[in-house]
Structures are given as structure tokens and as C-alpha cells.
Amino acid sequence: GVPNIEILASSKHLHIAGSIRMALQHLQEQNSSAISPSTTEFIYVLQHDFPFARRIDHLRLRQGMKDFPQQLRCIRFSKKKKNYGKKCFAYHKNGSSPVDTLPNGLHFSLTRLWSDNNHFTTVSYYQELLQRMQSRNALNMSMEKFFLPIAKRNCSFWGQHLYGKYEAASRYIKHLDGRRTKETG
């Protein structure tokens, strides 16, 4: 195995919210191990059919989230080549947020969107998110369906930041849509 990485398998389909809840429960049960709630700060949500299409500076991304924990709550990786006007204008009239460009050179764009596509966030973010879903009896609901309207209403708090410059949007993940791909030969 790889140090500090643990893969948890489920015997049944839990949806993303259920899988993350299972992982958080596992972390709580591992209080004496190296991977515990006191040492595990971040969660990478990676879907099996969304591999990265470009290099991501994971170390600087992690540091940026540590430096700006109130602003950079959830970073999502775009699967589209172009952004379509979903930027959050809650911070400044020109649409920039306090963390559009970090001192370490990374760029982000705050959006009015919420998607469960590959993203990087904190354990505390998901604890808060799942608590909100549970309080509305929505744990078996799609996270996107539940949080998209909330992110649109309060994008400065629930909107996800896209990794990279908004104006020069790039596809950071690609979709391996197996339902539409046929084997040849």
C-alpha cells in the first residue's frame, strides 16, 4: 500500500454522499491510526470515469486551501473546455474573489455551481455538507441535485471554485463515458 492512502470498498451502491459518509465514519473508527480525524484534513473526491486530463499542482493546491480556508472551501476540476457564465459575482463588482490568484501562482474562479465531479476539499466541509443533507432527510438524494440550488442562492459560501483561470478555461478532467463508447476489433 501507499502511506497515507486508504481505499475503502462498499458491497453496495451508496451514491457519492453515502460513500463519503462511510469514509468519514471509518476515519472516526481509526482514532489510533495514522489516518484519523485529527490528522486527516482533506478529501479528494475522484470518480472512476473522470481521470485527470492535465497536470494538477496538488501540493500548491493543498497549501492554498490551508492559507485561505474560509474562501477556498471546495475546488472542482472542470471537464469543459469553456465556462458558460456561471461565475459568482458576490465578492466584487468585477466578479473577482479574494483568492482568484494566490501568492503561490495558482488561479481559481468562484462559480455559482456545485458538482460532484472530481474535487478537493476538507473533511470539515463534508461533515458540514452531510449534516445539512441529513437535516433535510436528503442523504439518498444526488448531491448535485441538492446543492446546486443552494450554491446558486449563496455562491460566496457554497459555490465551488474552479481550478485555473476562468477566462482561459481548460479541461482538467475528461469523461470516459463507457455507455457511449463501443469496443472496436
Side-chain angles (χ1 to χ4, degrees):
V2 177
N4 300 321
I5 295 176
E6 188 170 357
I7 296 173
L8 304 175
S10 174
S11 60
K12 63 182 181 179
H13 182 63
L14 300 174
H15 299 281
I16 290 177
S19 296
I20 292 170
R21 188 170 48 158
M22 180 184 77
L24 292 176
Q25 288 170 348
H26 178 75
L27 287 173
Q28 287 179 338
E29 294 167 4
Q30 300 297 317
N31 284 331
S32 62
S33 73
I35 301 175
S36 71
S38 60
T39 59
T40 302
E41 296 177 76
F42 298 100
I43 294 177
Y44 242 125
V45 175
L46 304 173
Q47 295 188 36
H48 72 282
D49 58 345
F50 284 113
F52 285 107
R54 299 186 62 193
R55 288 184 65 76
I56 306 294
D57 192 330
H58 303 282
L59 293 176
R60 287 196 302 166
L61 171 60
R62 179 181 167 274
Q63 189 59 50
M65 289 189 75
K66 286 177 86 67
D67 292 345
F68 298 93
Q70 299 304 311
Q71 295 88 1
L72 292 175
R73 293 170 34 88
C74 186
I75 307 298
R76 185 168 53 85
F77 303 96
S78 182
K79 69 178 179 180
K80 299 181 190 261
K81 290 183 181 178
K82 182 174 176 156
N83 291 310
Y84 296 98
K86 304 293 185 195
K87 196 165 185 182
C88 178
F89 291 95
Y91 280 113
H92 302 294
K93 289 181 182 178
N94 68 359
S96 66
S97 76
V99 292
D100 275 358
T101 303
L102 297 185
N104 68 15
L106 290 184
H107 301 278
F108 301 97
S109 304
L110 183 59
T111 69
R112 299 182 315 115
L113 300 173
W114 202 98
S115 172
D116 62 12
N117 291 168
N118 294 5
H119 57 279
F120 183 68
T121 189
T122 61
V123 168
S124 61
Y125 176 86
Y126 260 108
Q127 288 169 334
E128 182 180 3
L129 191 124
L130 292 172
Q131 182 179 25
R132 188 174 183 115
M133 288 182 79
Q134 185 171 2
S135 71
R136 289 169 176 76
N137 203 23
L139 286 173
N140 292 325
M141 184 179 189
S142 157
M143 292 178 84
E144 286 179 341
K145 188 174 183 179
F146 184 81
F147 273 100
L148 186 56
I150 293 169
K152 285 181 178 180
R153 282 193 307 271
N154 187 358
C155 60
S156 62
F157 190 76
W158 287 109
Q160 293 172 315
H161 280 81
L162 286 178
Y163 184 88
K165 289 184 178 180
Y166 186 82
E167 299 77 19
S170 295
R171 180 182 294 171
Y172 283 93
I173 59 174
K174 60 184 175 182
H175 193 199
L176 301 178
D177 191 353
R179 290 174 292 199
R180 295 185 187 163
T181 305
K182 297 180 181 178
E183 285 189 40
T184 56

